[in-house]
Every structure is written in structure tokens, then in C-alpha cells.
Amino acid sequence: MDAPIRPEPGTAATQAKQRISGRAVLLSLGVLLANLVINGLIFLFFRDSTLNPLLTAVLAVLWGVLGVYLIYYTLTWAVEQYPDRIRRQVLPYVFIGPAVLILGWLLILPALRTLYLSFFNASSEKFVGLGNYAAIFSDRLMATALRNNLLWVFVGTLACVCFGLLIAILADRSSYERIAKSIIFMPMAISFVAAGVIWKFVYYYQPGDEQIGLLNAIVTYFGGEPQAWTSMLQPWNNFFLIIILIWMQTGFAMVIFSAAIKGVPEDIMEAARVDGAGEVKIFFGIMIPYISTTILTVTTTIIVFTLKIFDVVMVMTGGQYDTEVVATQFYRQFFMYRNFGYGSTLAIVLLIAVLPVILINLRQFRKQGGF
């Protein structure tokens, strides 16, 4: 007769450990509820506080740092009470869960509410269906804004990508590579608002012979006539504004392209040189195909910037002189004219324009192993 099969030692104990105990579930729910209650009470305290504003700010910063630490610490401790199999599955969600909830609260819910408001009239009281969407494409100002956005997208993006790639190639072969890249990348360190203020002085115009604007000072020095570059020269004033974007974003494109170019195998280029290929042929035949995914990523990223452009236009011209873009029209309709339906519709149109570009970027990141 065959010997009876005996259970392996520790099997029952192992199975018992893999079961989810009621104590672990109660602990995790209790920890989550305690975090919500405690942080909610602290928020209410700061909201209704009559303390000194400086003291309130210091305490709020401390609460932000220590509160986030305690939330993650307590949630991690609660997850540690579960069996190993459950712990490995749940622990990643503990770390990304709060971020996803905050993003949902700050991005998804406002987007849904904006979509809802776009189907109503200016006071959000009467349902108008697709009336606001139809009005967008029959409004003269919106036609101008859409035209200007297309100029920003095509001219601005093309110039940033081309100049960034050219400078990356040239700087890579220069002995002053670090200094050159630092100078060109420097505008990325400032905001679009600050850049608008700087360039407002560059383009500044005043009647008379004395000009404090840099560009007009140069023009008058060589005997030319000063011009109101951003207000009088339609449609060229839009191109003068686009130059600010090129000045800021070329450094971003240059840095990304430079890193990609350094990843091109040197032996492939040396083999091409041995076969008699010139530098131009190597550039278009080897470098461009090798960094094509990087070019697409940089292009789509800058397109998103240009579609959402607002700060530069608002600081430089306020959208006047036919420099209006969709974002400035949205701001004007929603916050100045209080036309909530039409303003929300503009925001949704801008979101729809940006989404395909973002999806292309995400697809590229997935191909490169980013997801």
C-alpha cells in the first residue's frame, strides 16, 4: 500500500497568514477615517483662524509637511498588517492614491463642470445646447483668435524646433558648449509674465526722437524711423510676440536634442564618413532618423505651450491690436464679461485642441518605456 500523503509542515500556518483578518480591515479603515477627520479639523481651524497671518502661514507649512508624512506613514503601517500577497498589491496604490485623488479633484471635476456650463447661457440659468459652440465659429473676434493661435502653433513651434536642433548640433562641436548652452537655456528660468515685461521694454515705443526701447533705439541709431512694433504693424505684431516664445523655448528644445544627439552611436557616423558621406548627409540620413522620436516629443510639447499661450499676449498687448488668442478670449469672456457659458465653451474648445497632442506624447512615452 502507498503511504498516506501528509501535509507539509507549516502549510496550515502559511494559509492562515494569507487570510485577510478582520482586525487588519478595521485598522486600515480606522486609520483612513482618522486621517480624514484630523486633517479636516486642522483645515477648518486654519480657515476660521484669527491668528497672526505670518504665524498661520508657518503653521500651515508645518502641517503640510508633517501631515503628508503622517498620512503616508499611517497608511503604510495599516497595509503592513495585511498578508504579504495583499500587501504587495495594495502598497503601490497607497503612494499614488492621494496624488490621483488630488488630480481628480483639481482637474477632472473642474473639467466636467466646465463642460456642463458650456451648454448654458451667460448666467448659467438657461440651457442652450450647442448654441455656444455654434457662436464660436461665427464670431469675428474668435476667428481672429483662432488664426493667431494657428500662427503661434506653426511659426512658433517650427522655429523653436529648428533653432533648438541647430544650436544643439553646433554647441555639441564647440569647445564652449557648457557656456553657450547655459546662456541659451537661461530664459527658461523665468516665467512667461517676466519675459513679457522684459520684451515690453525691448519693443517700447514713444513719439519723438528719444527712444528707451532697445529695438527702436537701434533703429533710430542707424537712421530709421521708430515703430510701435506690437500695436501698429498688423499682422506682423503677432510675429513679434512669437519671437518671445522662440527666445524662451529654444533653450528647452536645445537641451533635449543635445542629450538625444549624444546618444547617437559614434561608430555609425564614423562608418558613414569612411564611406564618403558628408556632414549634411550624416545629419539628415543618420541623426534625424535616430532622434525622430525625440523631435516628435519636443514638437508636441511646444505645441501644447503655444495652444495655451496667454501670459505673453496679456502682458504685452492685453489681446488688443488683433493679437487676441483663444486663452485671452476665454479670460475676457469668463472673468470680465461674466459670460460663463461662452467662456466655458472656449475652455472646452482649447481642451479639445490640446488633448490629441497630449495623447501623441503619452503614446511616445509608452513606446520609450515611460509607462
Side-chain angles (χ1 to χ4, degrees):
M1 293 179 61
D2 296 332
I5 299 175
R6 298 179 180 178
E8 296 181 5
T11 301
T14 302
Q15 291 176 351
K17 287 182 180 180
Q18 296 299 326
R19 296 194 190 100
I20 302 175
S21 65
R23 175 178 172 274
V25 174
L26 290 175
L27 273 175
S28 58
L29 292 176
V31 166
L32 181 61
L33 183 61
N35 276 307
L36 291 174
V37 171
I38 292 172
N39 286 284
L41 291 174
I42 295 174
F43 171 78
L44 293 176
F45 167 77
F46 281 115
R47 188 190 67 179
D48 303 327
S49 174
T50 56
L51 297 174
N52 181 277
L54 181 60
L55 178 61
T56 302
V58 173
L59 292 175
V61 171
L62 290 175
W63 168 52
V65 176
L66 295 176
V68 170
Y69 173 78
L70 289 175
I71 288 173
Y72 280 107
Y73 179 81
T74 53
L75 290 177
T76 304
W77 177 83
V79 173
E80 292 291 336
Q81 309 307 311
Y82 286 85
D84 291 341
R85 177 177 58 84
I86 305 299
R87 186 189 313 160
R88 286 193 297 269
Q89 294 176 352
V90 175
L91 196 58
Y93 295 99
V94 171
F95 289 98
I96 68 171
V100 171
L101 289 175
I102 292 173
L103 284 174
W105 181 264
L106 297 178
L107 295 178
I108 297 176
L109 289 180
L112 293 176
R113 176 165 173 77
T114 302
L115 178 63
Y116 172 78
L117 290 175
S118 69
F119 297 113
F120 288 82
N121 65 348
S123 58
S124 303
E125 295 175 351
K126 182 181 178 182
F127 181 79
V128 295
L130 298 176
N132 289 322
Y133 292 90
I136 285 179
F137 298 100
S138 60
D139 187 350
R140 184 187 64 82
L141 289 177
M142 270 310 300
T144 302
L146 291 171
R147 180 205 67 187
N148 292 339
N149 262 111
L150 289 176
L151 281 177
W152 281 86
V153 168
F154 288 108
V155 178
T157 304
L158 182 63
C160 289
V161 171
C162 291
F163 285 137
L165 187 57
L166 178 62
I167 295 170
I169 293 290
L170 296 178
D172 191 52
R173 304 182 180 190
S174 171
S175 56
Y176 301 99
E177 178 183 0
R178 292 184 179 180
I179 297 175
K181 287 182 178 178
S182 299
I183 294 173
I184 295 168
F185 187 77
M186 199 175 296
M188 280 290 296
I190 63 177
S191 66
F192 276 102
V193 174
V197 173
I198 292 171
W199 281 85
K200 197 165 188 176
F201 285 104
V202 173
Y203 292 142
Y204 188 82
Y205 165 80
Q206 63 182 12
D209 296 331
E210 185 177 353
Q211 298 294 327
I212 64 171
L214 177 62
L215 185 56
N216 275 322
I218 295 173
V219 169
T220 54
Y221 178 80
F222 288 101
E225 290 293 327
Q227 303 288 337
W229 304 101
T230 58
S231 59
M232 300 296 291
L233 302 175
Q234 289 95 1
W236 296 102
N237 51 359
N238 286 289
F239 292 103
F240 289 120
L241 298 183
I242 293 172
I243 288 174
I244 303 173
L245 173 79
I246 298 170
W247 178 67
M248 294 192 68
Q249 294 301 315
T250 297
F252 162 75
M254 174 202 67
V255 169
I256 305 299
F257 288 145
S258 180
I261 289 169
K262 290 183 184 299
V264 179
E266 188 65 31
D267 54 348
I268 297 178
M269 293 190 290
E270 286 300 326
R273 292 188 182 102
V274 170
D275 290 340
E279 294 300 319
V280 175
K281 192 171 183 179
I282 290 173
F283 175 73
F284 286 103
I286 296 176
M287 287 187 178
I288 293 296
Y290 201 89
I291 66 172
S292 58
T293 56
T294 304
I295 294 174
L296 181 60
T297 301
V298 172
T299 302
T300 52
T301 303
I302 297 177
I303 286 175
V304 171
F305 287 148
T306 55
L307 284 172
K308 301 188 300 179
I309 197 71
F310 169 79
D311 319 64
V312 171
V313 177
M314 186 56 68
V315 171
M316 295 292 293
T317 64
Q320 301 179 76
Y321 316 114
D322 286 339
T323 60
E324 199 82 73
V325 290
V326 176
T328 56
Q329 266 292 308
F330 158 72
Y331 173 81
R332 202 179 303 281
Q333 293 289 338
F334 198 96
F335 295 104
M336 295 178 65
Y337 303 152
R338 312 299 289 175
N339 190 344
F340 300 120
Y342 194 75
S344 299
T345 306
L346 290 174
I348 294 299
V349 168
L350 197 58
L351 176 63
I352 293 172
V354 170
L355 274 179
V357 184
I358 294 176
L359 292 176
I360 292 172
N361 247 353
L362 293 177
R363 186 178 298 175
Q364 286 300 122
F365 287 142
R366 189 178 293 112
K367 288 181 180 179
Q368 295 172 9
F371 289 104

